[in-house]
Amino acid sequence: MPSWIGAVILPLSGLLLSLPAGAEVKARSCGEVRQAYGAKGFSLADIPYQEIAGEHLRICPQEYTCCTTEMEDKLSQQSKLEFENLVEETSHFVRTTFVSRHKKFDEFFRELLENAEKSLNDMFVRTYGMLYMQNSEVFQDLFTELKRYYTGGNVNLEEMLNDFWARLLERMFQLINPQYHFSEDYLECVSKYTDQLKPFGDVPRKLKIQVTRAFIAARTFVQGLTVGREVANRVSKVSPTPGCIRALMKMLYCPYCRGLPSVRPCNNYCLNVMKGCLANQADLDTEWNLFIDAMLLVAERLEGPFNIESVMDPIDVKISEAIMNMQENSMQVSAKVFQGCGQPKPAPALRSARSAPENFNTRFRPYNPEERPTTAAGTSLDRLRIVWRTMQHSVTDIKEKLKLSKKVWSTLPYTICKDESMTAGTSNEEECWNGHSKARYLPEIMNDGLTNQINNPEVDVDITRPDTFIRQQIMALRVMTNKLKNAYNGNDVNFQDTSDESSGSGSGSGCMDDVCPTEFEFVTTEAPAVDPDRREVDSSAAQLGHSLLSGSLACIVLALQRLCR
C-alpha cells in the first residue's frame, strides 16, 4: 500500500469522528495537480488522488495538500533548475551580443590587415618589380608585428615604429651617400640621429600618433568584447543559495501542493523573490555600466569620418613626402651625421663615381598617383574598401547592442517576472499566488542590490557575505574599464612608464593630474662619435628598396588610423 494512502485514511477518520451526525465529508481531488505534475515528466506513482494532511511539508504551508514529501523534494529541485535556465535564457541577448560581435569584429580587423598587406604587395610588385620582391620580407615582418600586437602580443608600437624610422634612415643615408662605405657601427650611430635631425620631416611623428591610437583602440576594443563575453557567460550561470531555493519552491510549486497548479505567482511577489536570489548580480550593474560607457567611447575611435577612398589616396603621397624630405635635406643631414659620427671611408671608385641625386632619382622617383595599377592591385583595393565599409557597419551595430545591454543585471528580475508564463502579470493582482493563497500580495518591493535585501520578506539573504565570484567579475570589469579609458586617450597601459602607473588613485586614466597628452613627445638624443675605421659592410642597391618598402608600409598604417579615428 502506497504511503500516501495511510496518510489519507488517518486524518479522514479523525475528521469523521469530530463531525456532527449526518454531515458529509468531501475531500478535494488532486486530479488537476496529477495532470500538471505528470506534464513535468514526473511519475504519478506517489501522488495522492485526494488531499492529505500536510504536517510533513518543509517549505509549503502545512495544510491539507496534494504533495507528498517526495513530491516537495522533486519540485524543489525542479524550481532550482527552472530558475537557472530562466537566468540563462534571459541573459541570452547580452551573451550572444558579445560572443557574435567579438567574432565578427575580430574577423573584420584581421581581414583588413590581410587585405592591406596584399594591396600593398600588389601595388609595389607592379610599380617597383624585382627590387620590391627581393625585399618583400620587410613588409611581411612589419605586418606580422602589427598583427601580433593586435592579437595581444608583447609589442611596443612606439618602439617598433622608432626602430623602423631608424632603419629607414640607415638605408636612405647610404643611398644619398653612395661615395662612402659604412660599417654596421657607423650606421648604428646614424640611426641615433633620427629624432634630432628629422630627416623625414613630420611624417614619423604623425605616423606614430595615428598608428598607436588606431591599434591601441582596435586591440583594446576586442579585448573589451572578450571580457564582456566572459563576464556575461559566468554571471549567467547562477548557483542559488538554499534560501533562494526555498523561496523559488514556495513561489513556483507550492500552488501545486495547495491544489492550484494553474494559479501563477503575483508579479510583485516574483520581483521580491528574484531580487533576493539575484542580489549579487544586481551589484555588478554599476561597474558593468561604466564598462559599457568606456566601450562606447573606444568605439568612437573606430568610426572615422573618412571613407576608404579618402584614406587610401594619401598613402602614396605620404611615401613620397618622407622620401623627398630625406632627399631635399640630404646635404644637411649628411653634414651633421659626419660631424657627430666621424668621416666615413670612401667607397670603391666605380660606386663613388655615381652622383647621389642620379642614384636617388633612378631608384626612387616620386610615385605618381595616376600610375596606380588597375589590375591586381586595383582588385585588392576594392576588397579593402569592402572590408572597411563592412567593418564600419559592424562597429555601428556593436554600439547599438552595447547600449541595449546597460543595466542588464539590475533589470534581470523585472525581465524574468514580466514573462507571461512566469507570473499572473500586473493586471491580475487579486487572482494570483502570494506565497500562502490565491490573493493580493501586500509586502513592498525591495530595492536592487545586496544591502537592500536585509528586509526581503521572501528570501533569507546574508548581506554581510557578498558573493566572491561576483566580486571577481566586478574587478575584471574595473580593470578592463581602466584599459578602455586609456585606449580612448591613446595610451597603452601595457607599456606605460612607472610614473604613469603610480599617478592617481585608481581612477584608471593613467595620466598625471588627469591630463592626458594628445600627442607623443620625443626626446632628442646626442649620438656618440664612432671610429670610421671599424669593420665595413657592403651596402647594396637592395637596401634602397628595403627603405622604400618600410616607408610605404608605415604610410598604409597611417591611412588605417585616419579611418579608425
Side-chain angles (χ1 to χ4, degrees):
M1 182 178 67
S3 60
W4 59 266
I5 294 179
V8 172
I9 295 175
L10 291 176
L12 287 179
S13 61
L15 179 63
L16 288 172
L17 292 175
S18 62
L19 289 175
E24 295 183 3
V25 176
K26 187 177 182 181
R28 287 196 301 177
S29 170
C30 293
E32 188 179 355
V33 177
R34 289 176 62 86
Q35 184 178 358
Y37 188 73
K40 293 287 181 181
F42 296 116
S43 171
L44 300 180
D46 57 0
I47 181 171
Y49 287 93
Q50 293 180 321
E51 289 183 334
I52 60 176
E55 290 87 350
H56 58 279
L57 299 178
R58 296 188 299 271
I59 300 175
C60 297
Q62 294 182 335
E63 302 173 6
Y64 278 88
T65 181
C66 287
C67 285
T68 62
T69 300
E70 293 80 3
M71 288 178 62
E72 190 179 40
D73 290 340
K74 291 179 180 179
L75 290 174
S76 180
Q77 182 63 24
Q78 180 69 16
S79 66
K80 175 180 178 292
L81 294 175
E82 289 184 8
F83 170 71
E84 292 171 347
N85 291 334
L86 269 172
V87 174
E88 274 211 73
E89 291 172 7
T90 307
S91 61
H92 177 76
F93 166 78
V94 67
R95 288 185 291 112
T96 55
T97 291
F98 280 92
V99 171
S100 62
R101 270 59 186 185
H102 171 272
K103 183 175 183 293
K104 192 173 183 181
F105 184 90
D106 187 51
E107 288 176 350
F108 282 147
F109 202 86
R110 290 173 186 265
E111 186 179 357
L112 171 68
L113 292 177
E114 293 293 339
N115 276 275
E117 184 175 13
K118 188 176 190 312
S119 295
L120 192 66
N121 181 73
D122 292 345
M123 180 185 297
F124 278 82
V125 165
R126 174 67 178 263
T127 306
Y128 300 106
M130 188 60 64
L131 183 61
Y132 165 74
M133 289 186 284
Q134 290 174 344
N135 295 276
S136 59
E137 73 278 358
V138 176
F139 279 103
Q140 294 169 2
D141 292 345
L142 192 49
F143 267 110
T144 297
E145 286 298 287
L146 291 172
K147 294 172 187 174
R148 191 163 73 88
Y149 173 84
Y150 169 73
T151 55
N154 188 27
V155 178
N156 188 325
L157 287 177
E158 291 189 49
E159 289 182 1
M160 183 184 69
L161 292 172
N162 287 341
D163 291 343
F164 163 73
W165 288 110
R167 293 195 303 269
L168 181 58
L169 176 59
E170 292 178 14
R171 307 303 185 189
M172 295 294 295
F173 189 76
Q174 295 175 83
L175 176 62
I176 63 177
N177 292 285
Q179 68 274 31
Y180 296 108
H181 208 185
F182 302 100
S183 67
E184 289 182 353
D185 289 335
Y186 196 100
L187 291 176
E188 183 179 349
C189 178
V190 171
S191 67
K192 294 178 180 178
Y193 280 85
T194 306
D195 287 343
Q196 182 179 351
L197 300 178
K198 299 190 184 302
F200 302 106
D202 206 31
V203 174
R205 184 187 68 84
K206 292 179 179 178
L207 186 65
K208 182 185 291 188
I209 295 170
Q210 294 163 345
V211 167
T212 52
R213 289 194 172 183
F215 278 83
I216 288 171
R219 181 171 84 161
T220 309
F221 190 75
V222 171
Q223 288 175 343
L225 290 173
T226 302
V227 170
R229 176 190 67 193
E230 294 303 318
V231 169
N233 282 337
R234 291 167 182 165
V235 174
S236 64
K237 291 177 172 30
V238 294
S239 297
T241 63
C244 172
I245 295 174
R246 287 180 60 87
L248 290 168
M249 169 60 193
K250 185 178 178 182
M251 180 182 76
L252 296 175
Y253 287 113
C254 282
Y256 279 52
C257 296
R258 293 302 308 276
L260 304 170
S262 61
V263 179
R264 293 173 184 168
C266 300
N267 184 75
N268 291 355
Y269 176 34
C270 174
L271 287 175
N272 274 345
V273 172
M274 292 301 161
K275 287 193 176 206
C277 289
L278 298 171
N280 284 283
Q281 281 76 3
D283 282 347
L284 188 76
D285 224 40
T286 299
E287 204 62 47
W288 177 268
N289 292 339
L290 292 174
F291 163 70
I292 295 298
D293 287 338
M295 286 288 290
L296 291 171
L297 280 177
V298 176
E300 292 180 5
R301 296 296 191 203
L302 305 176
E303 285 185 315
F306 309 110
N307 56 42
I308 191 63
E309 289 84 1
S310 62
V311 171
M312 294 299 294
D313 283 343
I315 289 179
D316 44 31
V317 177
K318 292 296 181 182
I319 295 174
S320 297
E321 181 182 347
I323 295 175
M324 297 311 294
N325 282 338
M326 179 67 184
Q327 182 182 13
E328 292 170 3
N329 300 320
S330 60
M331 295 187 66
Q332 298 93 318
V333 171
S334 297
K336 290 182 180 180
V337 170
F338 293 159
Q339 182 181 3
C341 297
Q343 191 70 22
K345 276 188 173 184
L350 178 62
R351 182 178 178 186
S352 60
R354 296 181 300 182
S355 65
E358 178 184 357
N359 186 68
F360 193 101
N361 290 331
T362 55
R363 293 290 184 183
F364 279 95
R365 58 185 175 80
Y367 180 69
N368 186 351
E370 295 180 359
E371 298 176 8
R372 176 171 292 172
T374 57
T375 55
T379 303
S380 295
L381 291 176
D382 289 339
R383 287 198 301 269
L384 188 57
R385 292 186 180 101
I386 293 172
V387 171
W388 263 114
R389 287 168 181 162
T390 308
M391 181 177 171
Q392 285 182 309
H393 174 75
S394 179
V395 173
T396 302
D397 174 66
I398 289 174
K399 286 177 64 177
E400 293 304 314
K401 296 297 188 298
L402 288 176
K403 291 175 184 177
L404 293 175
S405 72
K406 291 190 71 174
K407 298 184 178 180
V408 63
W409 306 112
S410 62
T411 59
L412 205 54
Y414 296 90
T415 306
I416 292 174
C417 293
K418 75 177 181 181
D419 191 323
E420 293 182 354
S421 64
M422 187 67 183
T423 67
T426 56
S427 61
N428 191 11
E429 297 182 358
E430 300 295 339
E431 301 292 318
C432 57
W433 174 253
N434 65 8
H436 303 280
S437 61
K438 185 170 72 171
R440 175 183 288 269
Y441 181 76
L442 299 178
E444 64 177 356
I445 301 174
M446 297 293 101
N447 290 324
D448 301 324
L450 182 63
T451 58
N452 289 315
Q453 306 312 309
I454 187 171
N455 294 318
N456 191 308
E458 309 305 335
V459 186
D460 291 330
V461 181
D462 186 353
I463 66 170
T464 66
R465 298 182 61 185
D467 188 292
T468 303
F469 181 75
I470 295 295
R471 264 52 196 175
Q472 291 173 348
Q473 308 314 307
I474 290 175
M475 184 56 64
L477 289 173
R478 190 169 295 162
V479 171
M480 193 65 240
T481 300
N482 178 59
K483 288 185 178 182
L484 289 163
K485 289 179 179 179
N486 275 281
Y488 178 73
N489 291 320
N491 301 324
D492 192 345
V493 295
N494 292 333
F495 294 105
Q496 283 185 341
D497 294 334
T498 54
S499 59
D500 288 338
E501 293 175 347
S502 61
S503 64
S505 58
S507 63
S509 67
C511 309
M512 295 293 290
D513 300 323
D514 293 329
V515 177
C516 291
T518 56
E519 296 183 351
F520 299 100
E521 297 181 356
F522 300 90
V523 179
T524 300
T525 306
E526 291 292 335
V530 299
D531 184 354
D533 294 327
R534 291 182 182 175
R535 182 172 56 89
E536 299 177 357
V537 293
D538 182 51
S539 176
S540 66
Q543 293 172 322
L544 178 58
H546 190 163
S547 64
L548 173 61
L549 299 180
S550 301
S552 303
L553 174 61
C555 294
I556 284 284
V557 179
L558 167 63
L560 300 184
Q561 161 60 20
R562 292 180 56 186
L563 177 59
C564 286
R565 295 185 66 184

